[in-house]
Amino acid sequence: MARRNRFFVMTFWGQFLNYSVEHDVVSTIPIPQSPPNLTVLIDNDHVEFQAHPTPDECVPLRTYPDGLLRKSRSPGNSLKIRPAEFAGPYVLFRHGGLFLSVDDGGKTSVSRPRGLSWETFRLLNEDEYDRLSYFLTNSWYIQSQRKISRFDIDKPAEAFTFHIAGLRLPLETILECIPDSKSKEILIPYDTWILEKFTLFKPLVYYCSFGKEDGFLCLDIAIDTLRRHGAYDGDIKILSERSQEDLSHQYRSYSDNRVQVLEYIPLDVVDYMSARFDISSYEEFDQYQPILYLDTDTMINAPLTDVFSQALHDKQTTIHVFNEFDEPWTADYWGRELFNDDPGAIPPTYGFTTGIMLYRNLACISASLKAVRDTIMRQSSVWGTRHMLRCYDQPVANYVMHKFESLDSALMTANTRNFDMRLNGADNDTYDAYVSSLGEPILHFAGGVGAYDWKVGAMRRYQAWLDRSNQPNETPEDLLPDAFEPLENVALLHGPQAQSESL
């Protein structure tokens, strides 16, 4: 053994030795996302167990007559270390003729006269721990099984072997195949040579909201339906000029501990309009896959897990969009004038909204997102100011994405519907018949750039209908009224007014 090396200690059962501050004893825990608070310091063939109750503390542990390892006020007594019979970096710990052992219930003591399986441990350095923790604590899309699964880290994994979706993966195979703790696709063999692809399943939903209070009211409703009716328990990020504290005090949905408000100070209309494409500057987005952007005037009425899974199964598509119009060459809202002025561009067969976009991950789409903003700015330079624009974000995004990205409209078109705003003012029977027929999980209350009080009213009416009809698992204490005063004379909007929300 090299001198003065520090390691984390994995047991035969795939768990880690950890120091319980409350009980002053060494026990075991499943692999946590943050490292255990127990390490061993190796000095030649001697090992000292050390506890770290806080990041700044290092407390020696010693073996007591009952065989348990506890805190010591004096330097801890060292145990002898020797190679185990397992192949690879596996060891035994011995003190006074007895071996350190961990049974299948997690009891840890220096109590066994012979060193066999339960007395065998694997030492992991910090890099190995980070890679293993990343793999075992995340969810993964299993490519050949077409399903999402994760390791049951609370269940002991006998003989340093971990189980997921019916597959047995030895520890050494896992460490060999995972290059770092950021890999989003991993190929791992099982049963000696059969390969399986593990694709990271860590979805993110993000929004942008600025200016008008109506926009934040819409977003409060959007997040509420995403959580309760969409059964989404993942992370949510919001780009806004307002603070998390400010929004949390005013709206319940923003106080969710998995909602993070990221400061974004828009300087002008370009920033207001294209903030959704400016996420590459936030390192917080790098860890997620897939990533769904939603306008604040969207609502979710059913789980999105299948949508996310299908996006990951599609190996070619980098961005999934909602086909909003089949004749984009007839109007400028989907980039007609840009395609016409570019002799190298092939006109698309459909136009998509920028209010609903699903990316595989940030790395594969980052260059095109930046290109959308750059093109908007270059277009505005024709007028010599960023306060005058030739076209909004949606035409530019259609131009850039159709020309350079691998687009797919089938998935999101099958799962998205533009809510017919003409029905919002209908009587209850007509309204109930319409909303009962909606089979898509994503509804877009499109109708003009930005948020309006009538849009808030339309979303509230549908939210109340969802609460009455679906009876989600967690019902708010103050449900919205059963019916809202109908909003009269609200027409279904097309063209520039139907572009995605920006202000």
Side-chain angles (χ1 to χ4, degrees):
M1 292 279 177
R3 291 180 59 85
R4 311 296 292 179
N5 289 319
R6 197 180 303 274
F7 299 92
F8 302 108
V9 185
M10 177 183 280
T11 73
F12 175 82
W13 309 102
Q15 299 188 323
F16 280 81
L17 296 186
N18 193 66
Y19 173 70
S20 170
V21 177
E22 180 182 0
H23 299 103
D24 183 27
V25 69
V26 172
S27 56
T28 63
I29 57 170
I31 185 166
Q33 290 181 320
S34 56
N37 66 6
L38 181 148
T39 60
V40 294
L41 183 65
I42 307 296
D43 188 354
N44 290 329
D45 63 343
H46 291 267
V47 57
E48 180 178 276
F49 282 74
Q50 298 177 338
H52 309 275
T54 69
D56 297 327
E57 288 185 89
C58 181
V59 180
L61 303 172
R62 66 180 291 261
T63 305
Y64 281 75
D66 58 5
L68 301 181
L69 287 165
R70 297 192 181 93
K71 186 167 59 176
S72 173
R73 294 184 178 180
S74 59
N77 52 339
S78 64
L79 283 75
K80 290 279 189 178
I81 186 171
R82 76 180 195 191
E85 294 182 2
F86 277 58
Y90 295 85
V91 298
L92 305 171
F93 298 116
R94 188 175 66 174
H95 175 70
L98 296 177
F99 289 92
L100 181 65
S101 179
V102 177
D103 65 21
D104 55 357
K107 183 179 180 181
T108 305
S109 62
V110 179
S111 58
R112 301 284 179 168
R114 292 194 302 170
L116 300 175
S117 57
W118 292 9
E119 293 73 50
T120 303
F121 300 86
R122 171 58 154 90
L123 303 180
L124 285 87
N125 60 36
E126 187 173 350
D127 173 68
E128 290 174 323
Y129 181 87
D130 287 344
R131 287 186 283 132
L132 183 65
S133 173
Y134 173 75
F135 188 55
L136 296 186
T137 59
N138 275 306
S139 295
W140 299 88
Y141 179 75
I142 315 297
Q143 195 75 33
S144 64
Q145 299 184 20
R146 302 194 69 161
K147 73 176 186 180
I148 298 164
S149 189
R150 65 181 299 131
F151 293 91
D152 184 0
I153 58 175
D154 293 324
K155 182 179 180 180
E158 187 174 355
F160 304 97
T161 299
F162 298 88
H163 300 259
I164 182 172
L167 308 178
R168 297 178 71 255
L169 303 179
L171 170 63
E172 300 307 320
T173 301
I174 293 173
L175 292 175
E176 178 184 346
C177 295
I178 302 178
D180 54 52
S181 57
K182 296 181 179 179
S183 301
K184 292 185 172 63
E185 288 191 351
I186 301 170
L187 281 175
I188 298 184
Y190 66 95
D191 289 350
T192 306
W193 63 271
I194 302 175
L195 285 175
E196 182 58 84
K197 176 181 281 188
F198 292 78
T199 301
L200 178 68
F201 180 79
K202 190 177 183 179
L204 172 72
V205 178
Y206 79 103
Y207 303 86
C208 300
S209 189
F210 307 100
K212 296 179 182 178
E213 201 65 40
D214 288 337
F216 294 96
L217 285 167
C218 287
L219 181 52
D220 185 52
I221 297 170
I223 294 174
D224 174 72
T225 60
L226 175 66
R227 286 292 195 223
R228 297 193 299 122
H229 300 282
Y232 177 75
D233 61 357
D235 289 348
I236 296 172
K237 300 198 185 298
I238 303 165
L239 272 60
S240 178
E241 81 279 26
R242 293 177 65 175
S243 70
Q244 182 120 26
E245 181 180 12
D246 173 33
L247 293 172
S248 296
H249 284 160
Q250 193 166 353
Y251 302 101
R252 181 173 50 201
S253 294
Y254 298 94
S255 61
D256 183 331
N257 61 10
R258 300 202 70 172
V259 173
Q260 181 184 16
V261 179
L262 302 174
E263 183 180 60
Y264 189 95
I265 307 299
L267 301 178
D268 50 32
V269 68
V270 173
D271 287 340
Y272 275 113
M273 174 184 49
S274 61
R276 75 199 70 185
F277 302 103
D278 201 19
I279 61 175
S280 297
S281 57
Y282 295 91
E283 63 181 15
E284 291 91 341
F285 285 77
D286 293 339
Q287 61 184 298
Y288 298 100
Q289 178 175 271
I291 299 174
L292 175 64
Y293 170 75
L294 293 174
D295 269 354
T296 60
D297 57 358
T298 55
M299 296 181 69
I300 308 301
N301 60 32
L304 298 176
T305 305
D306 287 345
V307 176
F308 292 141
S309 298
Q310 291 179 60
L312 293 181
H313 190 77
D314 185 341
K315 305 172 188 177
Q316 305 301 320
T317 302
T318 56
I319 175 172
H320 297 266
V321 296
F322 170 48
N323 178 351
E324 193 171 51
F325 195 57
D326 287 327
E327 298 180 344
W329 57 88
T330 63
D332 290 334
Y333 318 127
W334 297 276
R336 178 183 63 176
E337 60 181 326
L338 302 181
F339 284 102
N340 288 342
D341 289 350
D342 181 352
I346 300 174
T349 57
Y350 63 88
F352 65 86
T353 175
T354 53
I356 300 162
M357 298 178 289
L358 179 60
Y359 320 133
R360 185 172 183 85
N361 57 53
L362 182 58
C364 70
I365 197 71
S366 181
S368 289
L369 296 181
K370 183 177 184 298
V372 171
R373 274 181 55 84
D374 289 348
T375 302
I376 292 172
M377 293 180 186
R378 291 191 177 98
Q379 290 278 327
S380 65
S381 67
V382 173
W383 309 105
T385 173
R386 283 175 47 154
H387 297 286
M388 293 180 63
L389 301 176
R390 178 185 180 186
C391 52
Y392 284 90
D393 66 301
Q394 186 164 287
V396 175
N398 272 261
Y399 165 71
V400 172
M401 301 299 188
H402 274 299
K403 187 171 183 180
F404 297 112
E405 285 298 334
S406 175
L407 287 179
D408 172 73
S409 64
L411 175 61
M412 297 309 291
T413 304
N415 288 279
T416 305
R417 171 82 69 94
N418 274 340
F419 192 91
D420 190 340
M421 298 296 278
R422 293 171 298 190
L423 272 296
N424 185 57
D427 62 81
N428 286 338
D429 289 341
T430 303
Y431 183 87
D432 288 352
Y434 170 67
V435 294
S436 297
S437 70
L438 300 176
E440 299 84 0
I442 304 173
L443 295 182
H444 193 188
F445 288 73
V449 178
Y452 305 93
D453 55 356
W454 54 263
K455 193 179 285 190
V456 175
M459 293 177 68
R460 279 178 169 167
R461 186 178 186 187
Y462 184 64
Q463 181 187 34
W465 183 87
L466 282 176
D467 289 337
R468 292 195 306 272
S469 304
N470 292 351
Q471 299 180 355
N473 293 330
E474 294 184 19
T475 303
E477 295 177 3
D478 51 344
L479 276 180
L480 294 164
D482 284 349
F484 289 84
E485 177 136 0
L487 298 174
E488 304 295 341
N489 303 318
V490 177
L492 180 64
L493 301 176
H494 293 282
Q497 292 179 302
Q499 291 193 52
S500 56
E501 175 183 342
S502 298
L503 300 180

